[in-house]
Amino acid sequence: MSATIIDGKAIAAAIRSELKTKIDQLTGRPPALSVVLVGDDPSSHAYVRMKRRACQEVGIRSEVLLFPSSIEESTLLSEIDRLNQSPEVDAILVQLPLPKHLSTSKVLFHVASEKDVDGFHPVNAGLLLIGDAQAKIPCTPLGVQELLMRSSFDPAGKHVVIVGRSNIVGKPLAALLMQKREGSNATVTVVHSQSEHLRSYTQQADILIAAMGQPHFITPSHVREGAVVIDVGISYQGKKMVGDVMFQEVKQKAAAITPVPGGVGPMTVAMLLKNTLQCYLENG
Ligand code: NDP
């Protein structure tokens, strides 16, 4: 048996098209996203270019505020203040990583929670945890949920095992999938680098989500026959992008699997667009 390949690229394209239709129907100015980019890290610049292209495609106005890596923290915080106060800006994204001399948490927590399109502000993390609909939910967890729902793998009642507990992916994904609402209602187990007998948990998963950043860590022996496997991981072997899952081997055992690239990645960008529209509609 070979698994169904979950085509994140196609699903993300469908979502962009739905968002474009919604945005085309808006009256008044279009939704606006400001991206704060510090320094000249080539991958960060490439990510920002990709995000802006996606904005353009659906009719979101985006601007990039580019600052030198030597910028003082206080100057950056004042710039964020200005964006927080601007009625022309609906959503703010701080591209990570920031240079070492800047406190990432201080900068992220400075973004007004209602414009926090990445959902990294503690107010949004708290709102997510208590299941408040106003929460801005981090894009990758939201993308994983959409991917499951749109591929007819509703997590409700299923045992979801997440490998990874970061604040960006693992933790908010666990909080999201255990909510008492449509698209969630899962039984969630989270494992990490300190978990003993990791395999004994992953083998119990109806839906296994790998978000570790360890290339090809997940082998067929981690996977239950017929499980759905979602690979969030992105690593590079030379120029080749690879995930956390041994794709070719695991696909023989799983019922469905996401590829890397073309799985979760495009969904993350689509959810950035969705969150920008949410910020616009709620704050406008
Ligand atoms: P982090 O490095 O912040 O977290 C990785 C998590 O994996 C940690 O909780 C860590 O455990 C756990 N982990 C690492 N090694 C092992 C191991 N050997 N066994 C068990 N658990 C392990 O990464 P992120 O959460 O930010 O990202 C995870 C991956 O997802 C990365 O490859 C990243 O590039 C990718 N990513 C992809 C996105 C997309 O759009 N597709 C978006 C965001 C991230 P511990 O906490 O104990 O250290």
Side-chain angles (χ1 to χ4, degrees):
M1 189 190 75
S2 191
T4 302
I5 311 298
I6 300 176
D7 188 348
K9 205 172 159 193
I11 295 172
I15 294 171
R16 290 199 303 276
S17 154
E18 291 164 20
L19 289 170
K20 181 170 172 16
T21 305
K22 279 189 193 153
I23 291 169
D24 283 348
Q25 286 162 2
L26 297 171
T27 52
R29 72 159 174 81
L33 169 71
S34 290
V35 180
V36 173
L37 179 57
V38 183
D40 45 19
D41 174 55
S43 338
S44 291
H45 279 251
Y47 280 129
V48 168
R49 272 198 302 277
M50 189 173 65
K51 289 170 184 177
R52 292 198 73 194
R53 261 202 309 275
C55 283
Q56 196 178 12
E57 182 187 332
V58 302
I60 290 173
R61 199 167 67 202
S62 71
E63 64 165 356
V64 177
L65 288 93
L66 177 60
F67 301 107
S69 54
S70 58
I71 191 170
E72 293 214 12
E73 194 170 85
S74 57
T75 313
L76 188 61
L77 296 182
S78 323
E79 290 289 343
I80 292 175
D81 275 334
R82 195 177 57 72
L83 298 173
N84 286 342
Q85 281 151 23
S86 168
E88 302 297 315
V89 174
D90 304 302
I92 302 168
L93 181 156
V94 178
Q95 183 64 41
L96 300 178
L98 292 171
K100 295 250 181 307
H101 70 283
L102 301 171
S103 158
T104 301
S105 55
K106 208 164 169 187
V107 172
L108 291 180
F109 299 177
H110 209 72
V111 174
S113 60
E114 65 277 9
K115 296 189 178 185
D116 168 35
V117 73
D118 266 333
F120 294 157
H121 193 284
V123 166
N124 284 316
L127 290 172
L128 170 61
L129 203 58
I130 63 175
D132 190 299
Q134 299 279 311
K136 307 290 178 296
I137 300 170
C139 300
T140 302
L142 204 55
V144 169
Q145 184 187 45
E146 281 273 352
L147 203 53
L148 288 169
M149 291 304 284
R150 287 178 185 246
S151 324
S152 305
F153 297 112
D154 188 340
K158 302 297 183 200
H159 185 194
V160 176
V161 178
I162 301 170
V163 192
R165 57 173 165 182
S166 73
N167 291 330
I168 293 175
V169 188
K171 266 191 232 165
L173 184 55
L176 180 63
L177 295 182
M178 71 165 88
Q179 307 251 318
K180 195 168 184 174
R181 65 174 64 204
E182 206 196 331
S184 298
N185 280 312
T187 304
V188 180
T189 299
V190 179
V191 291
H192 46 75
S193 72
Q194 304 305 305
S195 298
E196 289 181 3
H197 314 299
L198 180 135
R199 206 180 299 252
S200 70
Y201 297 99
T202 60
Q203 284 168 346
Q204 291 177 44
D206 299 310
I207 301 173
L208 176 61
I209 305 176
M212 329 162 59
Q214 299 290 331
H216 298 157
F217 183 95
I218 301 292
T219 66
S221 71
H222 290 92
V223 178
R224 192 177 61 73
E225 189 91 43
V228 174
V229 179
I230 306 290
D231 192 350
V232 180
I234 296 179
S235 306
Y236 284 89
Q237 291 182 336
K239 286 198 168 166
K240 190 169 184 253
M241 185 192 283
V242 296
D244 288 343
V245 177
M246 222 175 232
F247 180 81
Q248 292 302 338
E249 292 79 357
V250 169
K251 129 169 127 72
Q252 305 305 321
K253 203 170 178 186
I257 187 166
T258 61
V260 176
V264 175
M267 293 299 292
T268 297
V269 180
M271 293 303 104
L272 169 69
L273 308 174
K274 187 179 178 191
N275 280 356
T276 302
L277 180 59
Q278 185 194 348
C279 291
Y280 170 89
L281 294 173
E282 285 175 5
N283 305 332

